[in-house]
Every structure is written in C-alpha cells, then in structure tokens.
Amino acid sequence: MLDRAVEAEVRRVVSGYRTLDPAAEWAGARAVLRAAGIEVEATGKELLERCAAWSDTAREAVAWTLREAVTNILRHSDARRVDISLAPGHVVMSNDGVLAVPAEDHRGGLENLRSRLAGVGGRLDVSCVDGRFTLGARWEADEEESV
C-alpha cells in the first residue's frame, strides 16, 4: 500500500498540479542526451538561475518543451548533435540525424505541446531542413525572464 506522501504526489502529478522545474529539465535533457552519446551544445543556461521568479507559464513552457524535444530526439532520430538555445520568451532545440518517420508516429506529443503552448498564448514551430529537425517554442516573456 502506498504511504500518504507518495499517494499525494501521484495525485498532484496526475492532476497536473505539479509544477515542472525548468532547471531540472535542462540538466536532465543534457544528461540523457549525453548518456545516449549525443553531443550537446547549449546556450542560455544563465537564465535558469532566475527561473524561480518566472511565471508558471514561462517555467512550464520551458520544461515541457525540453521534455518533449528530448523524447522526440531519442525516439525519432539518430542524432549525433543537439543544439539547445534558451532566451526570454523562447526555447529552440535542433538536432541532426533525422530518420524518415511518418508524421502520425510523433504527432501526439507535438500536438500536446502545441496545445499547452496555445493555452498560454504561445506557439510551437517545427521544421525539418537538410536533415536537421528544429523545434521552437515561443510565449510572451515575463519581465522576470528578461531581467
């Protein structure tokens, strides 16, 4: 039987009340990609030092984007290099090693991310050019993000 603390955490996660931590997602993304033998070039980490002051919108936009992008890279590519860029109001991830995967195989996660971003007035842009897949999430930047 689950103890009460674990049971409460499961309820928060399932109910969507658990706020994701963008700094933890950033570190996790880099660690997972590197463990898979993928070179990671990341810029903008210094912004994460202030993420506790960001709105829930900004924190969750960054965290969910990082999580979904890493999932897609691991499932749908043979990436050797990933570039991550974080700036106020947007995060972009780009990878090489794109495999020929039918769109319906990864539509669910991207559509879910697109819906999450639209729900906070943001948008998701994806492109595949010359064997590089790029995922960019944009939202209205908080004053705290830009400081």
Side-chain angles (χ1 to χ4, degrees):
M1 181 175 252
L2 295 174
D3 73 17
R4 291 180 195 260
V6 171
E7 194 174 310
E9 177 66 8
V10 168
R11 273 198 300 278
R12 279 193 299 277
V13 169
V14 171
S15 300
Y17 293 117
R18 182 173 174 238
T19 301
L20 295 176
D21 177 8
E25 292 296 328
W26 177 278
R30 293 180 67 187
V32 166
L33 292 168
R34 287 182 174 152
I38 301 169
E39 178 185 349
V40 179
E41 180 67 34
T43 59
K45 180 183 178 200
E46 65 279 359
L47 293 175
L48 295 171
E49 295 170 6
R50 300 186 303 271
C51 70
W54 298 356
S55 69
D56 288 346
T57 298
R59 283 194 307 273
E60 290 185 8
V62 171
W64 282 112
T65 300
L66 291 169
R67 185 176 284 186
E68 181 59 31
V70 168
T71 299
N72 283 343
I73 290 165
L74 295 175
R75 286 186 180 168
H76 304 295
S77 80
D78 189 17
R80 291 174 310 211
R81 180 184 169 97
V82 172
D83 297 305
I84 307 170
S85 174
L86 175 64
H90 74 276
V91 61
V92 177
M93 289 185 71
S94 179
N95 63 278
D96 64 0
V98 174
L99 300 175
V101 176
E104 62 271 8
D105 284 355
H106 62 275
R107 181 174 290 152
L110 292 178
E111 287 305 313
N112 289 340
L113 181 56
R114 184 172 277 116
S115 293
R116 285 180 188 277
L117 291 167
V120 297
R123 75 173 201 261
L124 177 67
D125 299 312
V126 295
S127 66
C128 186
V129 177
D130 295 330
R132 286 196 72 78
F133 182 82
T134 302
L135 181 151
R138 300 188 183 282
W139 60 92
E140 188 171 333
D142 291 348
E143 185 175 312
E144 290 83 6
E145 284 180 82
S146 302
V147 174

